[in-house]
Amino acid sequence: MQAAMQTELDKVVGALAEFYARDTHLLDKDLGERTLTHRVAVYLESRFTGWDVDCDYNRLGERRLRLPKGSIVSTDDDSGKSVYPDIVVHHRAIPENLLAIEVRKAGTHQPPDHDQHKLRAMTDPHLWYAFQAGVLLTLAKKHVAASEIYVGGTVDPWLSIWLAVRLKEAGLAAA
């Protein structure tokens, strides 16, 4: 599983490399998170052949994506602050979920708790829509400031370290 996931995460690294090569002006101008996630999704789409890549996707087949009642993340709104991940790599019709990606801008004053909880829930194998992995990315103006990988409803320390090293090797992380 880890070797296969490394292959998928390497595609994320490639997409981030293209994003930083072509779209850093979006970060320089302090544009909104949805603008950034759209551009990252564009670069992901070309790397995930045979998969659908969507932003703020709120379905699993014909069903709405919802977290169990009592969760700290609301699922009864359409404001984008809910369960919908920023970017998903999935098959719309099957349904089959590969990656849920949350993107944050460095320097945001909001704590990462909401995104972290969302990724723990969305990768929980006991939930009917579990993603194989969740990726939390914090984007600074010139590099990825932080990243975490979630598998099985929790942070995967080994894959998180592997991704941090890969980002550094690709020149996408602070020295």
Side-chain angles (χ1 to χ4, degrees):
M1 164 76 171
Q2 284 187 339
M5 189 50 63
Q6 287 173 341
T7 299
E8 304 305 339
L9 292 172
D10 214 34
K11 295 174 188 176
V12 174
V13 172
L16 289 168
E18 189 169 1
F19 170 79
Y20 276 102
R22 298 178 70 181
D23 287 318
T24 54
H25 65 281
L26 301 175
L27 291 160
D28 290 337
K29 294 185 182 293
D30 198 28
L31 292 173
E33 185 181 292
R34 288 184 182 188
T35 301
L36 303 177
T37 59
H38 167 72
R39 294 308 305 159
V40 171
V42 166
Y43 302 127
L44 287 167
E45 194 166 41
S46 66
R47 287 167 171 78
F48 284 93
T49 306
W51 291 90
D52 299 303
V53 178
D54 292 304
C55 293
D56 292 326
Y57 197 78
N58 70 344
R59 297 277 190 236
L60 182 67
E62 296 300 315
R63 299 171 70 180
R64 271 189 96 117
L65 205 53
R66 296 188 183 277
L67 290 178
K69 296 285 185 209
S71 170
I72 66 168
V73 178
S74 171
T75 60
D76 57 0
D77 68 21
D78 287 320
S79 69
K81 295 182 179 182
S82 188
V83 69
Y84 322 136
D86 291 333
I87 304 169
V88 293
V89 178
H90 65 143
H91 291 129
R92 292 183 196 120
I94 297 177
E96 181 181 9
N97 294 316
L98 181 61
L99 298 175
I101 302 171
E102 288 293 324
V103 176
R104 302 172 48 78
K105 289 179 11 182
T108 185
H109 298 295
Q110 297 292 332
D113 301 358
H114 181 80
D115 292 332
Q116 292 168 328
H117 177 75
K118 215 184 329 183
L119 290 171
R120 280 192 300 273
M122 298 193 83
T123 60
D124 184 338
H126 300 101
L127 299 180
W128 54 269
Y129 52 80
F131 284 78
Q132 291 179 37
V135 181
L136 178 59
L137 300 169
T138 303
L139 305 182
K141 287 187 179 186
K142 303 293 180 200
H143 63 275
V144 177
S147 61
E148 289 180 329
I149 303 299
Y150 293 75
V151 175
T154 187
V155 173
D156 185 311
W158 193 90
L159 279 173
S160 294
I161 291 168
W162 180 88
L163 180 60
V165 169
R166 261 310 277 125
L167 289 167
K168 191 171 183 176
E169 290 171 351
L172 297 171

